[in-house]
């Protein structure tokens, strides 16, 4: 769903990117509020309101994801799908860099190599574009910062989105009202189908996140990490094959370097996960020999 979402935003024209963004905020809150009513999970809200530090982090998360959502919508509707996909390709590299800079994490040699190759890719793409790939960089840094803050807040997927969209709701609604007073609001003036599509931005935003939250507790983390590459792959292919965006040789070279960096990163993560699994198996082995399991059900 995340990979195919570039097909959705152009359907919302003639609404501009800012109006689409405001609708996305308003209708996402409506969608997650209904979801929370169904599952009856409201206790977290009272706890969150009594914790000013977590509230501040939620507000910051809402701010950076607003930048991310708005720029992504604009880039797709302005013919920059390929450059937007690059942002999500380099996002893991930016996340690692933020871990080093802000959390003082120590990198393994393969991770250092991946970050270095990623930096070289940005240089190559800067030469190719004739400017820094600012759309990719802003998308990557905003989403990496968002992930870092969400890790510190430690809320579930639906709950976190509900809190963030609650912060966004009043400014977004105020902007839509202001557009209406100017006669520039497309909601309600371009037909019922257009209004329904704008309302569907809440489902398009929240449903993939709900599915991701459900998958996160059922799928191994290493598999989940690999699956997340599908979204930028689909976006990249849509940009070339469906939107027919140009890919000169220097841009291919930059993307190739990014993919090389991601291959190093993925291989290192898989090796580390395999070693950790082997270490856990070795720790369990002595107990298994001293206290053999004779339960016929387990056998």
């Amino acid at each position: 769903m995340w990979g195919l979402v570039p097909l959705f935003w152009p359907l919302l024209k003639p609404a501009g990117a800012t109006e689409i963004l405001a609708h996305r905020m308003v209708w996402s809150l409506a969608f997650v509020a209904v979801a929370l009513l169904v599952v009856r999970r409201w206790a977290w809200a009272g706890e969150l309101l009594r914790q000013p530090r977590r509230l501040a982090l939620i507000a910051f998360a809402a701010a950076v994801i607003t930048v991310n959502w708005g720029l992504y919508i604009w880039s797709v509707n302005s013919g920059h799908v390929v450059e937007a996909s690059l942002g999500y390709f380099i996002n893991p590299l930016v996340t690692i860099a933020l871990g080093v800079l802000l959390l003082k994490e120590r990198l393994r040699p393969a991770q250092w190599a991946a970050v270095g190759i990623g930096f070289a890719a940005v240089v190559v793409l800067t030469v190719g574009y004739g400017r820094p790939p600012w759309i990719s960089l802003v998308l990557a840094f905003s989403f990496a910062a968002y992930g870092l803050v969400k890790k510190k807040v430690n809320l579930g997927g639906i709950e976190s989105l509900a809190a963030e969209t609650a912060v966004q709701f009043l400014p977004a609604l105020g902007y839509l009202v202001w557009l209406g007073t100017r006669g520039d609001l497309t909601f309600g003036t371009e037909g019922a189908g257009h209004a329904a599509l704008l309302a569907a931005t809440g489902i398009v935003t929240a449903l993939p996140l709900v599915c991701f939250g459900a998958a996160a507790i059922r799928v191994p983390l290493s598999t989940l990490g690999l699956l997340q590459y599908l979204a930028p792959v689909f976006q990249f292919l849509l940009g070339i094959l469906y939107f027919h965006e140009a890919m000169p040789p220097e841009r291919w070279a930059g993307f190739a370097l990014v993919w090389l960096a991601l291959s190093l990163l993925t291989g290192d993560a898989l090796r580390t996960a395999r070693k950790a699994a082997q270490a856990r198996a070795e720790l369990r082995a002595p107990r298994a020999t001293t206290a053999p399991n004779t339960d016929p059900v387990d056998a």
Side-chain angles (χ1 to χ4, degrees):
M1 286 186 281
W2 273 326
L4 296 176
V5 79
L7 296 174
F8 179 71
W9 303 126
L11 301 178
L12 304 181
K13 294 178 179 179
T18 311
E19 182 186 349
I20 296 171
L21 174 63
H23 279 289
R24 188 177 188 180
M25 296 170 178
V26 169
W27 294 107
S28 292
L29 180 60
F31 181 86
V32 294
V34 171
L36 288 170
L37 282 173
V38 171
V39 299
R40 297 181 180 179
R41 291 212 303 259
W42 291 102
W44 60 272
E47 296 175 6
L48 184 62
L49 290 172
R50 293 191 294 271
Q51 298 174 313
R53 183 177 177 276
R54 291 181 81 196
L55 280 175
L57 289 173
I58 286 287
F60 181 76
V64 293
I65 203 61
T66 296
V67 172
N68 185 275
W69 286 357
L71 180 58
Y72 186 76
I73 294 167
W74 175 86
S75 61
V76 169
N77 285 358
S78 301
H80 298 285
V81 176
V82 169
E83 191 174 350
S85 75
L86 176 64
Y88 294 102
F89 276 125
I90 66 175
N91 176 66
L93 303 173
V94 174
T95 300
I96 289 175
L98 288 181
V100 173
L101 295 173
L102 301 180
L103 303 180
K104 308 302 180 184
E105 293 179 354
R106 300 183 66 178
L107 299 188
R108 296 182 292 274
Q111 291 175 314
W112 276 116
V115 171
I117 294 171
F119 179 78
V122 171
V123 173
V124 170
L125 288 165
T126 298
V127 173
Y129 279 107
R131 58 171 174 79
W134 67 271
I135 293 174
S136 308
L137 293 173
V138 173
L139 288 174
F141 274 92
S142 59
F143 201 71
Y146 177 67
L148 183 66
V149 173
K150 281 178 74 74
K151 182 177 179 180
K152 289 184 174 295
V153 172
N154 194 25
L155 270 179
I158 298 178
E159 294 88 346
S160 180
L161 184 62
E164 291 153 18
T165 49
V167 172
Q168 296 169 330
F169 180 79
L170 286 179
L173 185 62
Y175 177 75
L176 292 176
V177 170
W178 178 74
L179 277 183
T181 61
R182 288 168 50 91
D184 295 331
L185 188 69
T186 64
F187 185 84
T189 63
E190 296 290 331
H194 180 71
L197 284 172
L198 285 172
T201 55
I203 299 174
V204 169
T205 299
L207 188 58
L209 188 63
V210 172
C211 292
F212 179 79
I217 60 175
R218 293 171 173 83
V219 179
L221 192 61
S222 56
T223 305
L224 200 65
L226 290 173
L227 288 173
Q228 284 185 278
Y229 290 134
L230 286 176
V233 166
F234 281 137
Q235 293 164 12
F236 175 76
L237 292 175
L238 282 173
I240 295 175
L241 302 176
Y242 182 80
F243 293 102
H244 303 294
E245 294 185 16
M247 279 294 292
E250 58 272 18
R251 198 171 298 178
W252 278 112
F255 270 84
L257 286 172
V258 169
W259 294 331
L260 174 60
L262 292 178
S263 298
L264 285 174
L265 207 59
T266 302
D268 178 70
L270 291 174
R271 283 192 301 271
T272 303
R274 194 177 300 117
K275 288 179 181 178
Q278 289 173 351
R280 288 194 296 269
E282 289 171 1
L283 286 174
R284 288 195 297 266
R287 290 197 295 273
T289 55
T290 56
N293 188 354
T294 57
D295 190 331
V297 175
D298 287 349

